[in-house]
């Protein structure tokens, strides 16, 4: 069953490091809601289905989806349910910022059907949050977790960022300890990345902010892997840790190559053989949909591109790259070539092969993108 990603391109303010597509103006929100509904109704089936497709996961990302009202969300749900059926055990995730989380909103979200939250905490440290230009405080970071639990959400995730210039190793350990102490079921952790055209990049170039230290980032990531393993979390994907049974179903579908729909400006869709992506411009997205035109580009993937995509995504998971599957889908020669290419990484203890699976070691996870690129055909 496919999943659905809805991109909500609005935020209260711009985080200095962020390069996602969003606007801090809500002026076009009503038109955007109408355009989203129009795109959902016009979108053809990715799997050539003529019946209503059953959806296994629904994910509201952005931007900041928690900026929407309950009525906004209900409007989108109504549009989706005219076009799709929801599986009985569907996972419905809403990305939320701590400053948006209130007791009232939590109950509204639950009544609508949202059963999982992904909270953009990023840090429990006040100085870091200000440095990142986050809209919430360290106190709100802690309070929102208690509110979520009190509202009856046992399935939620938080995001944390490591490797910023302000974050020393002791503070990073305290951040991780808070996750463990509060028994948070899922955590997504990302190294601070300096992306082109972001405010952070400009400030670093102007010497107004210190650049990141890659050695510190590697050290903090290795420490995190150890702490989370000792606390009983599964490191099921490079950036994601979960208590047993609490993995993100939606994100797992990306890494397993499943079909998914993307609605909204900049959203991507994928059916295994082709990828579509919508224009990353709110005004043009809206005006196109007002003319019943979905403004997207499409790439048809060659067999080699499909293979490379599988290498890239599967290597990121704890299950690893399945050599038997490679042989079945792409031929035994591809399997043999991959095994040969991986030998040098195995010799350097960055890869290991177990039960016909190529799996990254802890050290190898520091070099995941480079290793995947080296294995590409």
């Amino acid at each position: 069953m496919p999943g659905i990603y809805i991109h909500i391109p609005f935020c209260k303010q711009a985080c200095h490091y962020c390069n996602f597509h969003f606007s801090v103006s809500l002026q076009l929100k009503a038109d955007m809601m109408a355009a989203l509904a129009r795109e959902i109704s016009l979108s053809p089936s990715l799997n050539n289905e003529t019946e209503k497709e059953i959806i296994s996961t629904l994910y509201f990302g952005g931007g900041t989806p928690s900026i929407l009202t309950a009525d906004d969300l209900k409007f989108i749900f109504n549009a989706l349910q005219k076009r799709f059926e929801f599986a009985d055990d569907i996972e419905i995730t809403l990305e939320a910022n701590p400053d948006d989380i209130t007791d009232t909103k939590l109950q509204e979200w639950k009544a609508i059907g949202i059963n999982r939250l992904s909270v953009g905490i990023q840090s429990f440290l006040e100085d870091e949050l200000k440095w990142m230009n986050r809209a919430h405080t360290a106190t709100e970071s802690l309070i929102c977790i208690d509110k979520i639990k009190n509202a009856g959400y046992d399935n939620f995730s938080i995001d944390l960022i490591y490797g910023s210039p302000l974050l020393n190793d002791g503070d990073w350990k305290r951040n991780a300890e808070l996750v463990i102490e509060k028994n948070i079921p899922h955590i997504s952790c990302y190294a601070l990345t300096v992306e082109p055209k972001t405010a952070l990049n400009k400030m670093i170039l102007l010497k107004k902010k210190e650049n990141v230290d890659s050695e510190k980032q590697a050290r903090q990531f290795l420490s995190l892997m150890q702490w989370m393993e000792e606390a009983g979390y599964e490191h099921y994907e490079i950036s994601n840790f979960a208590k047993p049974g609490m993995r993100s179903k939606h994100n797992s579908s990306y890494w397993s190559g499943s079909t998914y729909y993307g609605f909204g400006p900049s959203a991507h869709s994928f059916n295994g053989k082709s990828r579509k992506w919508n224009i990353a411009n709110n005004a043009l997205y809206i005006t196109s949909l007002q003319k019943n035109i979905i403004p997207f580009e499409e790439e048809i993937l060659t067999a080699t591109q499909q293979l490379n995509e599988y290498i890239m995504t599967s290597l990121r998971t704890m299950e690893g790259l399945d050599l038997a599957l490679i042989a079945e889908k792409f031929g035994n020669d591809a399997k043999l070539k991959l095994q040969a290419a991986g030998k040098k990484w195995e010799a350097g203890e960055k890869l290991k092969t177990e039960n016909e699976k190529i799996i990254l070691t802890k050290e190898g996870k520091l070099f995941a993108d480079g290793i995947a690129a080296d294995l590409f055909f």
Side-chain angles (χ1 to χ4, degrees):
M1 291 183 287
I4 291 176
Y5 172 81
I6 306 275
H7 189 79
I8 305 299
F10 301 113
C11 288
K12 285 182 183 176
Q13 64 188 49
C15 302
H16 287 160
Y17 57 84
C18 184
N19 72 334
F20 293 153
H21 171 66
F22 68 93
S23 169
V24 293
S25 169
L26 290 175
Q27 185 176 352
L28 295 176
K29 191 185 76 162
D31 289 338
M32 181 61 68
M33 295 298 102
L36 271 170
R38 186 72 57 88
E39 184 192 0
I40 291 165
S41 69
L42 292 174
S43 181
S45 170
L46 291 175
N47 298 319
N48 299 314
E49 295 284 343
T50 55
E51 303 291 328
K52 266 190 176 184
E53 285 177 276
I54 301 175
I55 299 302
S56 59
T57 64
L58 172 58
Y59 193 102
F60 289 89
T64 311
S66 57
I67 209 169
L68 298 182
T69 66
D71 285 341
D72 291 331
L73 290 166
K74 288 176 187 175
F75 180 79
I76 297 172
F77 267 76
N78 288 337
L80 288 167
Q81 288 171 324
K82 290 176 184 176
R83 169 77 172 74
F84 301 98
E85 285 188 27
F86 291 177
D88 291 339
D89 61 347
I90 188 171
E91 174 193 270
I92 303 178
T93 304
L94 180 84
E95 287 186 352
N97 278 348
D99 47 300
D100 288 330
I101 295 174
T102 65
D103 294 335
T104 299
K105 276 197 167 185
L106 286 163
Q107 293 306 321
E108 288 175 343
W109 294 339
K110 182 163 274 194
I112 291 166
I114 292 161
N115 53 26
R116 185 176 183 273
L117 299 176
S118 178
V119 188
I121 284 178
Q122 315 310 353
S123 178
F124 293 106
L125 304 168
E126 192 68 35
D127 287 349
E128 263 212 302
L129 293 171
K130 289 178 180 176
W131 188 89
M132 295 176 189
N133 201 39
R134 295 291 291 168
H136 67 279
T137 65
T139 300
E140 287 172 323
S141 291
L142 290 167
I143 289 174
C144 77
I145 293 170
D146 294 331
K147 286 181 180 291
I148 289 166
K149 288 184 173 182
N150 291 338
Y153 279 95
D154 58 2
N155 190 4
F156 68 97
S157 176
I158 71 164
D159 289 353
L160 288 181
I161 291 175
Y162 60 89
S164 83
L166 269 64
L167 187 67
N168 63 46
D169 291 354
D171 285 337
W172 177 230
K173 185 174 184 181
R174 183 57 187 152
N175 273 349
E177 285 172 344
L178 281 168
V179 170
I180 295 163
E181 286 170 14
K182 289 191 167 290
N183 200 29
I184 293 169
H186 187 286
I187 175 173
S188 298
C189 294
Y190 306 97
L192 180 69
T193 305
V194 182
E195 300 286 356
K197 299 181 181 179
T198 60
L200 177 59
N201 185 53
K202 291 175 185 174
M203 285 186 276
I204 289 172
L205 292 174
L206 293 170
K207 309 296 183 184
K208 292 183 178 181
K209 283 189 185 290
E210 184 183 347
N211 205 345
V212 299
D213 179 344
S214 59
E215 289 187 7
K216 180 171 81 169
Q217 290 189 331
R219 185 173 67 247
Q220 291 183 351
F221 183 48
L222 286 169
S223 296
L224 176 71
M225 285 191 275
Q226 178 185 338
W227 299 330
M228 301 311 285
E229 181 181 354
E230 289 172 351
Y233 287 77
E234 293 178 339
H235 191 186
Y236 73 101
E237 193 272 344
I238 283 182
S239 301
N240 290 274
F241 302 80
K243 291 282 190 179
M246 303 305 291
R247 297 186 186 191
S248 164
K249 293 180 183 178
H250 182 83
N251 289 342
S252 294
S253 71
Y254 294 154
W255 307 315
S256 65
S258 299
T259 296
Y260 55 87
Y261 291 85
F263 299 121
S266 81
H268 284 60
S269 301
F270 178 70
N271 70 353
K273 297 181 179 179
S274 68
R275 185 182 305 284
K276 296 179 180 179
W277 57 96
N278 289 341
I279 191 170
N281 181 300
N282 288 358
L284 290 178
Y285 172 83
I286 289 167
T287 55
S288 295
L289 266 304
Q290 286 171 344
K291 300 172 186 173
N292 290 332
I293 297 169
I294 301 174
F296 71 90
E297 294 183 59
E298 183 173 18
E299 177 185 25
I300 307 299
L301 302 178
T302 65
T304 299
Q305 287 173 319
Q306 292 176 43
L307 173 54
N308 288 342
E309 185 133 337
Y310 174 73
I311 292 169
M312 179 178 65
T313 54
S314 63
L315 264 186
R316 295 183 63 87
T317 68
M318 66 182 288
E319 287 77 20
L321 188 157
D322 189 333
L323 289 167
L325 181 64
I326 292 285
E328 177 187 334
K329 291 185 69 175
F330 302 102
N332 201 57
D333 286 348
K335 171 187 170 180
L336 295 174
K337 185 178 177 182
L338 267 176
Q339 286 177 306
K343 291 297 182 186
K344 69 175 181 182
W345 296 106
E346 287 195 42
E349 298 185 342
K350 303 294 190 294
L351 289 179
K352 58 184 178 181
T353 302
E354 295 177 352
N355 302 319
E356 287 276 276
K357 304 282 181 66
I358 295 179
I359 301 167
L360 292 172
T361 63
K362 286 183 180 178
E363 287 283 343
K365 288 173 182 175
L366 296 172
F367 306 95
D369 291 343
I371 293 171
D374 187 61
L375 297 180
F376 283 170
F377 282 67

